[in-house]
Amino acid sequence: MLGNFAYCNPTKLYFGDESLQYLKNELAKYGENVVLIYGGGSIKKNGIYDEVTEILKKAAKNVAEISGVMPNPTLEKLYEGIEIARNHNADLLLAVGGGSVCDYAKAVSVSVNCDEDPWEKYYQRFEEPTCDIVPVGCVLTMVGTGSEMNAGAVITNRETKMKIGHVFADESIMPKFSILNPKYTLTLPHYQMAAGIYDIFNHICEQYFSGEDDNTSDYISEGLMRSVIHSSRIANKDMQNYEARSNIMWTATWALNTLVSRGKSTDWMVHMLGQAVGAYTDATHGMTLAAVSLPYYRHIMPYGLKKFVRFAVNVWGVSEEGKTDEQIAEEGLYAMESWMNELGLVMKISELGVTDEMVIGIADATLTMQGGYKVLNHDEIIGILRKSM
Ligand code: NZQ
Ligand code: ZN
C-alpha cells in the first residue's frame, strides 16, 4: 500500500431475508415526506412494492412516487423526478430497485436544491454539489452495480448520445442505508442475473488491473473474484439457490464500495467502452462490458503481464509449470472466456445492436482513462471495438 488515502463509507447495510424489517427504524430518522422511486413495475409483480408501502403507511409517511425509472436512466427522466421531489419537499428519497433506480435517486438527491442544470454541473463539469442534498435510502432488488453503497450515479443523455457516470467524492451522497434481501433477487430473469454477475466481476478487474505495488486491495480482490466465480456457477445451474445468490449480493457490494480501490490507480477502460456502447444501443450494462472485455484485456496484457500472470494463477488456478509468462496469462484469459460463455454472456457488441457505421461514433464517445496498464489512443479504441463486433 504505497499510496496515501482516506477511507470512509457511511452507508448502513441490513442484509438477509428478514432485512426489510429494519426499514421502519430507518424511516423514523427522517421527516414525513418520502419520495418512493422505482422502475418499470417488477416490484409490483413480485410483491416488494406492497411490502414497502405497507411499512411506509404504518410509519405515517406522506408518500409521492416516481415510477418508470428505466434501465440506463435518462436526463429527461431526471428532470421529471427533480420536479416531483421539489414539489413534495422531500425529506427522504427511497429507491426500490436495481442500480438504475439507486443511481437515479442519487442524481435527484444532488439536484433538488440546486439551481444549475444537473447535466452541465455534474456530468459535464463534474462538480460536487454546492447545495443541500436530500438523503437517499435503498431497497435493492437487482445485484451488480454496487450503487447501494457508493456515490456513483450514471445518467444517459439520449440527445447527445452520452452515457456518463459521476462518482461523487463527497461520501454524504452515498445512500444513508441499504437493505439487501437476497430473496428479492430471485425473480430476476437469467439475462439480468448473468449481466449483474459480470458487472461485479468486471468492477473488481477494473481496480485490480492497475499498479505494480504489493497491495492488500489485490488480495481482497482475488478473494472476491473467486467467490463470484464459485457462486455464479451454482446460481447459473440453480437460479433459486439462496446461498449462492446471497453470496453474489454481498460480493457485489464489496466489489464497488471504494474498499478495493484503496491504494490503486484503477483502470475503468472496459466501463468507458461499455458505457459508450450503451449510449448508442441502450443495451444492458453488464452485457456491454462482457462484449468488449476480452479484446480489451488481450490488447493490454503485454503491458501488464505480471498482473495477468497473477490473475491466471490466483483467480483461475492455472498451473505455471513449464510455461512462459505469456502462456500462463493467456490461459487465464481463456479460463475467463470459458466461464463467460458458461454464463451465457453476450460476447459481441454486434449482438447488442452495434453496426459498423456506429463504431467511429462510439469510439468518439469513449472517455480515455489514465490509470490502467496502457493509455489507449483513438485508433486502439477503434481496433478494440472492431474486434468486439
Ligand atoms: O424496471 P423494472 O421493472 O424494475 O425491471 C428491472 C430492469 O428492467 C429488472 N429488475 C430489477 N430487479 C428485479 C427485476 N426484475 C425482476 N425481479 C427483480 N427483483 O432488471 C432490469 C435492470 O435493472 P437495472 O436497475 O437497470 O440494472 P442494474 O442494477 O444493472 O443497473 C444498471 C445501471 O447502473 C449503472 C449502469 O450504467 C446502468 O445505468 N451503473 C452504476 C454504477 C454505480 N452506481 O457505481 C456502476 C456500474 O458500473 C454501472 O455503470
Ligand atoms: Zn459496472
Side-chain angles (χ1 to χ4, degrees), residues 125 186 203:
R125 300 197 301 271
L186 297 177
H203 290 158

Side-chain angles (χ1 to χ4, degrees), residues 256-367:
L256 193 53
N257 69 356
T258 72
L259 175 73
V260 299
S261 65
R262 292 311 88 180
K264 305 284 302 176
S265 55
T266 73
D267 183 355
W268 295 108
M269 229 18 247
V270 169
H271 271 67
M272 295 307 106
L273 290 157
Q275 276 175 207
V277 168
Y280 272 71
T281 59
D282 200 26
T284 298
H285 172 66
M287 295 305 184
T288 64
L289 307 177
V292 299
S293 279
L294 284 160
Y296 174 70
Y297 287 127
R298 291 198 162 115
H299 183 78
I300 64 157
M301 195 184 82
Y303 305 94
L305 188 59
K306 264 196 189 150
K307 188 50 95 39
F308 281 90
V309 170
R310 179 173 165 170
F311 175 68
V313 175
N314 292 357
V315 178
W316 296 103
V318 172
S319 119
E320 296 172 271
E321 233 178 275
K323 294 171 199 159
T324 63
D325 281 356
E326 283 78 7
Q327 283 169 332
I328 300 165
E330 271 164 25
E331 239 181 81
L333 289 181
Y334 179 74
M336 173 171 152
E337 186 171 14
S338 306
W339 169 71
M340 292 170 77
N341 282 320
E342 200 180 311
L343 289 184
L345 297 168
V346 178
M347 304 295 274
K348 290 178 174 169
I349 55 175
S350 51
E351 287 172 22
L352 298 171
V354 174
T355 59
D356 288 333
E357 295 70 45
M358 288 181 192
V359 168
I360 303 289
I362 293 174
D364 292 344
T366 303
L367 305 181

Side-chain angles (χ1 to χ4, degrees), residues 144 197-210 217-229 251-252 254-256 260-261 264 266-268 271 297 307 311 315:
I197 288 169
Y198 190 71
D199 194 21
I200 303 169
F201 189 81
N202 190 254
H203 290 158
I204 308 169
C205 291
E206 297 275 31
Q207 297 163 92
Y208 181 76
F209 286 115
S210 67
S217 293
D218 289 334
Y219 296 85
I220 303 173
S221 287
E222 286 164 357
L224 291 172
M225 285 194 267
R226 283 162 53 184
S227 172
V228 180
I229 295 162
T251 310
W254 290 94
L256 193 53
V260 299
S261 65
K264 305 284 302 176
T266 73
D267 183 355
W268 295 108
H271 271 67
Y297 287 127
K307 188 50 95 39
F311 175 68
V315 178

Side-chain angles (χ1 to χ4, degrees), residues 38-43 45-46 48 68-73 96-103 106 140-148 150-156 163 165-167 183-189 192 195-196 199 203 256 268 271 275 283-286 289:
Y38 56 97
S42 70
I43 64 163
K45 283 191 214 127
N46 56 25
I48 300 171
V69 176
M70 61 291 276
N72 311 318
V96 183
S100 293
V101 175
C102 298
D103 276 19
K106 285 179 245 173
L140 196 66
T141 68
M142 151 89 198
V143 166
T145 64
S147 187
E148 65 276 13
N150 70 36
V154 184
I155 294 293
T156 298
K163 180 177 181 183
H166 186 157
V167 182
K183 220 174 52 187
Y184 290 163
T185 68
L186 297 177
T187 54
L188 277 169
Q192 291 296 340
D199 194 21
H203 290 158
L256 193 53
W268 295 108
H271 271 67
Q275 276 175 207
T284 298
H285 172 66
L289 307 177

Side-chain angles (χ1 to χ4, degrees), residues 124-189:
Q124 295 292 289
R125 300 197 301 271
F126 290 94
E127 291 174 13
E128 290 294 304
T130 41
C131 56
D132 287 342
I133 61 150
V134 182
V136 170
C138 300
V139 177
L140 196 66
T141 68
M142 151 89 198
V143 166
T145 64
S147 187
E148 65 276 13
M149 204 185 188
N150 70 36
V154 184
I155 294 293
T156 298
N157 184 335
R158 283 202 181 145
E159 228 170 83
T160 61
K161 284 201 165 66
M162 296 294 282
K163 180 177 181 183
I164 305 219
H166 186 157
V167 182
F168 290 94
D170 181 350
E171 61 263 4
S172 69
I173 290 148
M174 293 177 180
K176 299 291 174 238
F177 65 91
S178 284
I179 292 175
L180 312 182
N181 183 341
K183 220 174 52 187
Y184 290 163
T185 68
L186 297 177
T187 54
L188 277 169

